[in-house]
Amino acid sequence: MKRLALSVWVACSATLAQATDLLGIYNDARVNDTKFASARLQREATLEKLPQGRAGLLPALTLNASSTYNNLDAALPTERQYRYNANSYSLQLTQPLFRPQNWIAWEQGQLSAQLGEVQYTAAAMDLIVRVTQAYFDLLNAQDVLNTVTQLRTAANEQLELSKKSFEVGTVTVTDVNDAQSRFDIAAAQEIAAQNDVNVKREALRVLTGKEPPVLSGLRTGVNLPLPQPADVGEWARAAEDGNTDVMAQQLNAEIASREVQRARAAHLPTVDLVGTVGRSHVFGSTSSQSESEYRNWQVGVQASLPIFQGGSTQSKVREASALAEKARSDLETSKRTAAQTARQTFLGVTSGVAQVRGYEAAVKSSTSALESNKLGYQVGVKINKDVLDAQTQLATTRQQLAKARYDTIMAQVKLRQAVGTLSLKDLEEINALLEK
């Protein structure tokens, strides 16, 4: 009883606090969600592929230096000892003139940077989906808790009435036992519903990194429109082109195709422009004990042609070709999956809108039924159990209506994600449906 009283006190205190809307939760998650932070850092790392690929086309500057002490003992024709030190340094500049592999690597770097942007966009959409899902999951769990609490209250009233009626002999013990069973079931359902609320709150805490606040609920009677255009085929085709997974696989296929070209380019010659400037300082030598110093520079073209590398080049070409074919197969799979997801979520929206309209009609009829039972109870043609049953039916139908709305909104969000158009604007439109 103490725990129940504490839960009621927390719930009452929460209603006095200012509710937080969906955008507020999203802003917290954008800052604190570790999965999105990982995607952001992955994007930063992937963008470095662009300067790394470009580096293979730019000059390379190398500084070399050495200091060598020489100790030589000569036996013929005469015995002599040579002790001298030699110091040298050189600065070498290499500018690639013809390196097809480097050009292809540069193109791959550009594609990898684009891939990083696409993956980051997908992570941003995924964050919107996860936040919206967690938000409405918690609202739904709270709705279920409120409903089963009403059911338990109604069952308790029926139980008390049955006990009093049994004392005066108007009902049998079977009626009392039936009412007791109904109350016990409702009480167990309330415990399970409260546990589900706690679980959903923890899921929201994982996203935001903080204690979940009081959430704004949906406004009464919100209108959920059908998808436009109303043709499921158009949504499927849009998903095949705009889905982020499809776009990522397209870039992966292009990178794999260029990897085949890069592997084949290993057969080609390479040509570099090489320039060197250096200085050497020798304190004696085998021919002279005098100190000498030299300065020199040179420039030229250096060419290299691989002839045979043990078969590794041909093997890498075959490997790259197989991976390129795999990438094309993965691309086709992602297109089919995206189209299927678009069709499923489109049907989820359309059927969800129909369910919402059906439950709205059911709420009206359940409300009318409750009023009729109350009136019948007042004139003596209905018993209290009939009124409680009508109250239970109305509470359950309202909860089912709210869930149908949550599910339909989530289907709309996932449909936008499937075609690659989900953005903050969509989240703002959903947020406008909440109570202020």
Side-chain angles (χ1 to χ4, degrees), residues 143-180:
D143 291 342
V144 172
L145 177 60
N146 292 334
T147 299
V148 297
T149 300
Q150 294 177 27
L151 295 178
R152 183 189 59 80
T153 302
N156 185 58
E157 293 177 0
Q158 178 64 26
L159 176 61
E160 295 298 327
L161 180 62
S162 298
K163 289 180 178 179
K164 292 179 180 179
S165 300
F166 177 73
E167 291 175 357
V168 299
T170 57
V171 300
T172 65
V173 68
T174 302
D175 297 315
V176 177
N177 292 336
D178 181 67
Q180 182 68 55

Side-chain angles (χ1 to χ4, degrees), residues 76 78 114 192 200 218 268 298 321 350 373 389 393 407:
L76 295 174
T78 59
Q114 296 176 30
K200 297 303 189 294
L218 282 177
L268 301 177
Q298 58 186 16
S321 299
T350 54
N373 277 276
D389 287 341
Q393 181 62 40
D407 292 343

Side-chain angles (χ1 to χ4, degrees), residues 101-221:
Q101 288 179 301
N102 292 14
W103 282 97
I104 297 172
W106 178 53
E107 294 175 351
Q108 288 178 313
Q110 292 177 306
L111 294 171
S112 295
Q114 296 176 30
L115 177 60
E117 292 289 356
V118 170
Q119 291 172 336
Y120 179 72
T121 300
M125 291 185 187
D126 178 66
L127 179 65
I128 293 176
V129 173
R130 289 187 292 118
V131 167
T132 308
Q133 186 72 68
Y135 190 96
F136 287 121
D137 280 349
L138 180 53
L139 285 184
N140 182 64
Q142 291 172 344
D143 291 342
V144 172
L145 177 60
N146 292 334
T147 299
V148 297
T149 300
Q150 294 177 27
L151 295 178
R152 183 189 59 80
T153 302
N156 185 58
E157 293 177 0
Q158 178 64 26
L159 176 61
E160 295 298 327
L161 180 62
S162 298
K163 289 180 178 179
K164 292 179 180 179
S165 300
F166 177 73
E167 291 175 357
V168 299
T170 57
V171 300
T172 65
V173 68
T174 302
D175 297 315
V176 177
N177 292 336
D178 181 67
Q180 182 68 55
S181 174
R182 182 174 177 177
F183 173 79
D184 293 339
I185 292 174
Q189 290 175 338
E190 185 180 31
I191 295 173
Q194 180 62 64
N195 181 68
D196 191 48
V197 169
N198 296 334
V199 171
K200 297 303 189 294
R201 287 178 64 84
E202 287 301 316
L204 202 60
R205 188 203 303 271
V206 170
L207 287 171
T208 62
K210 59 179 66 173
E211 180 66 25
V214 180
L215 303 182
S216 298
L218 282 177
R219 289 187 285 104
T220 303

Side-chain angles (χ1 to χ4, degrees), residues 184-407:
D184 293 339
I185 292 174
Q189 290 175 338
E190 185 180 31
I191 295 173
Q194 180 62 64
N195 181 68
D196 191 48
V197 169
N198 296 334
V199 171
K200 297 303 189 294
R201 287 178 64 84
E202 287 301 316
L204 202 60
R205 188 203 303 271
V206 170
L207 287 171
T208 62
K210 59 179 66 173
E211 180 66 25
V214 180
L215 303 182
S216 298
L218 282 177
R219 289 187 285 104
T220 303
V222 295
N223 183 35
L224 301 178
L226 290 169
Q228 294 298 328
D231 183 9
V232 65
E234 292 189 29
W235 287 96
R237 288 188 291 272
E240 290 179 347
D241 294 331
N243 183 271
T244 51
D245 288 340
V246 173
M247 296 173 64
Q249 288 299 337
Q250 286 176 335
L251 290 169
N252 280 326
E254 292 183 22
I255 292 172
S257 176
R258 281 168 173 76
E259 185 62 26
V260 176
Q261 299 175 15
R262 197 164 77 95
R264 288 173 177 166
H267 291 290
L268 301 177
T270 59
V271 182
D272 299 325
L273 176 66
V274 181
T276 305
V277 59
R279 174 180 179 271
S280 62
H281 192 183
V282 180
F283 298 90
S285 67
T286 57
S287 60
S288 173
Q289 295 296 324
S290 61
E291 180 179 353
S292 61
E293 182 176 344
Y294 303 94
R295 292 183 177 86
N296 72 299
W297 65 269
Q298 58 186 16
V299 62
V301 176
Q302 180 177 303
S304 176
L305 176 63
I307 297 177
F308 181 69
Q309 306 297 323
S312 64
T313 303
Q314 292 87 342
S315 176
K316 290 179 180 179
V317 171
R318 293 192 297 269
E319 177 189 20
S321 299
L323 292 176
E325 189 64 29
K326 175 183 178 298
R328 287 188 287 270
S329 179
D330 292 341
L331 172 59
E332 182 61 27
T333 299
S334 64
K335 285 184 177 181
R336 296 179 184 181
T337 302
Q340 180 188 23
T341 302
R343 292 189 182 96
Q344 289 177 342
T345 52
F346 178 90
L347 296 176
V349 176
T350 54
S351 63
V353 171
Q355 283 184 355
V356 168
R357 292 172 181 172
Y359 280 124
E360 286 174 343
V363 167
K364 292 180 180 179
S365 60
S366 296
T367 302
S368 299
L370 176 60
E371 296 300 325
S372 299
N373 277 276
K374 286 182 177 179
L375 181 59
Y377 178 72
Q378 292 173 357
V379 299
V381 298
K382 293 287 184 180
I383 61 175
N384 188 50
K385 181 178 182 299
D386 296 328
V387 177
L388 296 177
D389 287 341
Q391 290 176 335
T392 298
Q393 181 62 40
L394 178 58
T396 302
T397 305
R398 283 175 174 170
Q399 188 273 319
Q400 291 172 335
L401 171 59
K403 185 177 187 305
R405 285 173 174 156
Y406 301 149
D407 292 343

Side-chain angles (χ1 to χ4, degrees), residues 26-100:
Y26 171 76
N27 290 330
D28 287 339
R30 188 174 178 86
V31 174
N32 299 312
D33 180 55
T34 54
K35 185 176 180 180
F36 184 67
S38 175
R40 183 170 56 248
L41 295 172
Q42 180 62 49
R43 169 179 173 263
E44 294 179 5
T46 305
L47 290 178
E48 294 302 320
K49 295 293 185 181
L50 185 59
Q52 290 173 15
R54 187 173 55 240
L57 306 177
L58 301 178
L61 195 62
T62 305
L63 175 64
N64 298 304
S66 67
S67 179
T68 306
Y69 179 76
N70 295 273
N71 183 1
L72 179 63
D73 293 328
L76 295 174
T78 59
E79 292 186 1
R80 296 187 61 183
Q81 289 185 335
Y82 300 94
R83 307 286 189 272
Y84 62 92
N85 196 70
N87 300 323
S88 66
Y89 68 84
S90 64
L91 188 63
Q92 180 173 327
L93 175 68
T94 303
Q95 170 62 57
L97 298 179
F98 181 75
R99 284 186 175 266

